[in-house]
Amino acid sequence: MERTLLCEIVTPERVIYKNEVRMVVAPTIDGEIGIMPLHAPLVSALKAGEIRVMYGDDKVEWFAVSGGYIQVHEDKVIVLADQAAAGSQLDAEYARKALDEARQRLREAEGSGEEVVDACVADLNWCEIQASVAGKHA
């Protein structure tokens, strides 16, 4: 039997995913990292991006994350995400519309205070990631 590791993806609101997997690929602030069973212990900050979880016979699940932290200990990976969404739960058309709306809000916010623009940029980035992950399931 192939060795696996437990993967949990958690947001402040709920557990998004929990399953035995073969590999997790995550976007850390130092670059993309692949985690397999028996990986060395690790704690790292995540940047916004896509997490890939490989399980079973070549099955892959995609997740959008807006940032957070990842912890690896023994055969367990915990992703503590600020925001996360499973690609299988995202609607590609809705994500594209949300992306267009976020772009429009950013255009309208130009000239506003720095905090407003920063919030619009963060929202735009989150919409871009969701649209990218949703596109992988369309």
Side-chain angles (χ1 to χ4, degrees), residues 2-135:
E2 183 179 22
R3 189 172 183 113
T4 61
L5 51 104
L6 178 64
C7 176
E8 292 182 17
I9 301 175
V10 182
T11 68
E13 291 83 28
R14 65 187 175 100
V15 175
I16 300 292
Y17 181 82
K18 184 176 183 178
N19 198 11
E20 292 288 329
V21 301
R22 290 186 298 112
M23 184 176 185
V24 177
V25 180
T28 71
I29 58 172
D30 295 321
E32 195 171 67
I33 184 170
I35 301 159
M36 297 177 72
L38 301 176
H39 193 284
L42 167 79
V43 174
S44 180
L46 292 174
K47 67 178 184 178
E50 303 170 350
I51 291 181
R52 295 185 309 277
V53 175
M54 291 119 201
Y55 62 98
D57 295 329
D58 299 326
K59 295 178 183 171
V60 178
E61 180 73 36
W62 292 81
F63 296 88
V65 293
S66 64
Y69 294 90
I70 187 167
Q71 177 185 10
V72 180
H73 182 67
E74 295 180 4
D75 281 341
K76 186 172 186 177
V77 175
I78 302 172
V79 174
L80 301 169
D82 299 329
Q83 294 176 294
S88 59
Q89 302 295 311
L90 294 171
D91 179 300
E93 185 174 328
Y94 178 80
R96 281 190 292 277
K97 287 179 184 177
L99 181 58
D100 291 340
E101 290 172 10
R103 287 182 179 133
Q104 180 62 33
R105 282 192 304 275
L106 180 59
R107 281 191 292 273
E108 292 169 0
E110 290 179 12
S112 298
E114 188 176 327
E115 287 181 16
V116 173
V117 172
D118 288 348
C120 288
V121 168
D123 187 39
L124 176 63
N125 289 340
W126 177 232
C127 289
E128 286 174 339
I129 293 162
Q130 290 182 86
S132 172
V133 171

